[in-house]
DNA sequence: GTGATAGTTAAGTAGATGCTTAAGTATTCG
DNA sequence: CGAATACTTAAGCATCTACTTAACTATCAC
């Protein structure tokens, strides 16, 4: 199992939950407090805090407490890492398709010249 | 919790495991049999089959059995869906940065004109 | 047919996950 | 000060996950 990345593990795992995606969705608009994040979610506050901990562990979100309010903000680099992994795979797959297409065209050309 | 997508749940969940990412990594190169997928993974064959089932449930991989060999291939559309979700969020975040930058510049201009 | 190959099915298990409620601790307001 | 706000911590619990081993089925090769 080469190039194992616990970083990707935790980012993809964090994004696999709808409540956590909703929180990310909210945070890309602007920073928010824990209760602001909780408001649209039908869940207890401690539940939200646990999701927040998962997002922070994945490096997707950072937060800072001032007074009694914890303000959360998104960390786009982690998001970018996941995006990069996917797009690299897509690139490999598309290159393969291109090579396949080229081979098929060559075969067609060969058939034409041998048939005529 | 608006626009809940079980599709994204399952795709991100599938990608959160290193063995499954390794399988995707292999399959973007070319289709492969179950045992070919299993070879680089230090895991029993039934374990691999279970991971395969997760990938298929997420729509990331499809497979077909011919004779005694099951051939697996990647389904890039599901990958693209996950990539799209991430890139949409990144776009929102970047737009916000642009607006912020514009506002800051305006403030600077105002200060200059009022100071002088 | 016999045996090897390729995969499948079933059952069990340790540990992680996604919640909950209850009971705290700070901070701010009047 | 005393009450309201904004979290935080702890504990408990049902369910899900990622494996395992053992036993089975369906090809294919001779």
């Amino acid at each position: 199992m080469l190039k194992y990345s616990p970083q990707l593990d935790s980012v993809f795992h964090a994004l696999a939950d709808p409540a956590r995606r909703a929180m990310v969705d909210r945070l890309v608009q602007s920073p928010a407090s824990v209760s602001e994040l909780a408001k649209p979610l039908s869940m207890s506050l401690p539940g939200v805090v646990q999701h927040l901990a998962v997002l922070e562990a994945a490096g997707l979100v950072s937060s800072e407490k001032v007074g009694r309010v914890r303000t959360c903000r998104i960390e786009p680099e982690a998001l970018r890492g996941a995006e990069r992994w996917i797009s690299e795979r897509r690139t490999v797959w598309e290159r393969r398709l291109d090579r396949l297409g080229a081979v098929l065209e060559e075969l067609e050309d060969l058939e034409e010249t041998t048939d005529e």
Side-chain angles (χ1 to χ4, degrees), chain A residues 37-112:
Chain A
L37 288 177
K39 217 166 291 173
L41 304 173
S42 37
M43 191 187 301
S44 68
L45 196 66
V48 173
V49 171
Q50 280 168 35
H51 282 302
L52 187 58
V54 172
L55 289 168
E56 292 209 46
L60 280 163
V61 166
S62 66
S63 72
E64 196 196 358
K65 196 165 181 176
V66 174
R68 57 187 171 175
V69 177
R70 176 170 298 278
T71 301
C72 310
R73 59 189 68 252
I74 202 138
E75 289 294 332
E77 252 328 293
L79 219 42
R80 226 180 269 274
E83 195 183 4
R84 197 177 306 124
W85 188 90
I86 299 180
S87 91
E88 278 166 11
R89 269 74 212 161
R90 207 198 50 216
T91 303
V92 171
W93 185 79
E94 280 169 358
R95 273 221 202 87
R96 188 180 114 77
L97 271 200
D98 287 353
R99 281 201 306 275
L100 254 175
V103 169
L104 284 180
E105 264 182 49
E106 250 178 73
L107 277 177
E108 265 174 45
D109 290 357
L110 274 175
E111 262 173 46
E112 270 169 38

